[in-house]
DNA sequence: TTAAATTTTCAAAACTTTTTGAAAATTTAA
DNA sequence: TTAAATTTTCAAAAAGTTTTGAAAATTTAA
C-alpha cells in the first residue's frame, strides 16, 4: 500500500465511522486529515485535499473547533489561518465525551425528570414510571462515570489506573 | 404532566437522542414504546401508536431484533407476532456496545492494520505512521475495555465493581 | 389442498442533512 | 483612509436517508 492509498483509506474509513456516530462525514475527514498532517493546514489545503467547497470547509472547521478537537494556529507574518488537530487520542475522546454529555445526556435527564412527575394508577403508568426510573439511574451513572474519566488526569487512583489504558 | 404528555415527551426525546447516535428516529421510538409498555405489542400497535406505515414498522422491528435489544413473543393460540424490549438497561447498553464493536471497531482496526504497512521516508509518512499507531493503540484498548465490561457478569472483580453502577 | 391472515419486500416519494458557490462581512497591509 | 486578502453566511441544489404503500411471499387454520 502506498502513502496516497493509505491516506485515502484512512480518510474514507474515518469518514464512515464518524457518520455512523452522528458526525458528518466531511467533519471526520477533515479531522483525520489534520491528525495525519505533519504541518498545520489552511482552509485552501483542506478544500484541495478533500475536494470540497470553501463554505463546507469553513463550516466544518468551525464545528471541529466548537468540539474542541482542532485549533487555529497563527503564523507570524501570515494572514491566513492554519489549523491543527489535538494529537492525544485519549484527550480527543474525553473532549468528545464531555461535549456529548453536555449536549445530549443533560437534556435527556431533564426530560426524564419531567416525565417522572406523571401521577396516576394502572399498569401503563406503573411501567412507564419504572422504565423512567431505570433510565435515570443509568443516565446518572453514565454521567458520573464520564465525569470520573474526564477528571482522571487530576485524580490519583484513576489517573494511574487509566495510564495502563493509554 | 399527564401520562400521554409524558409518553409523547419520552418518545420524542429518545428518538432525538438515537438520531444523534446514528440510530434512526423511528427505531429508537419503537424501542422506548416497547420499553414502557406493560404488555408486548404487535406491529399494528406500533403502527398506530407512532402513526407510521406497516413497512416502516416491520423494517425497524426487524432491525431492533438484529441489535438484540427486543424480541419476538409468541402467544399461544395467536397468529400475530408480539414484541417486547429487554428491560435491563445495562444489558441493552452492553448489547449495543457489543454490536457496534463488531460492526465498526473491527472494520476500523482492519483498515488501520492495512495502512500501517505503508513504507517510505519523510515527515508525511512519519506522521501518518505515528497517528495510525496511536489510533490502533486506542482502538485496541477500547476493544479490550468493552470486552471486559461485556464479560463483567462472569468476572468477579468487575462483577462486584460494576454492581455499584447498576 | 385453499384462502385468509400476516409478514416481508422494494421502488418511488418524502424528508433530512450536507454541500455548494457567490455575495457579504471582516480583517489587515499599505 | 482604501483595497486586497481572507473568512463567513446562507439560499438553493445535491446527496443521503427514511418512509410509504401496495404487491409479493409466507404462514397457518380449516
Amino acid at each position: 500500500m502506498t502513502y496516497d492509498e493509505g491516506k485515502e483509506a484512512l480518510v474514507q474509513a474515518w469518514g464512515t465511522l464518524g457518520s455512523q456516530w452522528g458526525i458528518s462525514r466531511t467533519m471526520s475527514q477533515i479531522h483525520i486529515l489534520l491528525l495525519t498532517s505533519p504541518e498545520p493546514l489552511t482552509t485552501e489545503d483542506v478544500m484541495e485535499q478533500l475536494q470540497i467547497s470553501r463554505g463546507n470547509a469553513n463550516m466544518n472547521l468551525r464545528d471541529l473547533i466548537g468540539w474542541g478537537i482542532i485549533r487555529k494556529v497563527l503564523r507570524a507574518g501570515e494572514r491566513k489561518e492554519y489549523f491543527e488537530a489535538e494529537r492525544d487520542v485519549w484527550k480527543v475522546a474525553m473532549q468528545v465525551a464531555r461535549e456529548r454529555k453536555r449536549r445530549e445526556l443533560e437534556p435527556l435527564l431533564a426530560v426524564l425528570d419531567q416525565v417522572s412527575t406523571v401521577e396516576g394508577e394502572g399498569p401503563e403508568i406503573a411501567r412507564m414510571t419504572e422504565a423512567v426510573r431505570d433510565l435515570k439511574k443509568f443516565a446518572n451513572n453514565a454521567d458520573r462515570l464520564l465525569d470520573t474519566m474526564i477528571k482522571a488526569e487530576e485524580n490519583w487512583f484513576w489517573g494511574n489506573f487509566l495510564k495502563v489504558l493509554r
Side-chain angles (χ1 to χ4, degrees), chain A residues 133-147:
Chain A
R133 195 196 58 224
D134 290 349
L135 290 173
K136 271 171 79 167
K137 209 187 288 178
F138 184 82
N140 275 315
N141 282 328
D143 199 62
R144 267 188 282 120
L145 180 58
L146 281 177
D147 276 340

Side-chain angles (χ1 to χ4, degrees), chain A residues 72-112:
Chain A
K72 280 190 191 175
V73 181
L74 298 174
R75 293 191 151 178
E78 286 245 42
R79 187 98 166 255
K80 274 189 203 133
E81 291 175 334
Y82 287 76
F83 301 91
E84 68 178 11
E86 166 60 52
R87 291 263 176 61
D88 184 330
V89 182
W90 178 259
K91 268 198 194 164
V92 172
M94 285 306 106
Q95 188 54 40
V96 170
R98 194 198 320 267
E99 285 294 320
R100 294 202 92 140
K101 176 167 121 60
R102 189 175 63 73
R103 298 180 192 194
E104 296 160 15
L105 203 52
E106 285 165 16
L108 175 68
L109 281 170
V111 171
L112 291 176

Side-chain angles (χ1 to χ4, degrees), chain A residues 46-64:
Chain A
V46 170
M47 287 166 62
E48 193 184 313
Q49 294 211 40
L50 297 180
Q51 292 288 305
I52 59 176
S53 72
R54 183 175 301 286
N56 194 7
N58 178 72
M59 163 165 293
N60 281 290
L61 283 165
R62 269 193 300 106
D63 283 356
L64 282 165

Side-chain angles (χ1 to χ4, degrees), chain A residues 8-61:
Chain A
E8 180 61 21
L10 264 187
V11 165
Q12 286 305 333
W14 206 244
T16 302
L17 189 71
S19 68
Q20 284 161 335
W21 286 82
I23 288 146
S24 97
R25 180 203 294 332
T26 301
M27 194 160 134
S28 310
Q29 289 180 332
I30 295 177
H31 176 234
I32 196 85
L33 194 64
L34 293 177
L35 194 68
T36 55
S37 168
E39 293 294 324
L41 302 179
T42 63
T43 302
E44 300 269 348
D45 295 332
V46 170
M47 287 166 62
E48 193 184 313
Q49 294 211 40
L50 297 180
Q51 292 288 305
I52 59 176
S53 72
R54 183 175 301 286
N56 194 7
N58 178 72
M59 163 165 293
N60 281 290
L61 283 165

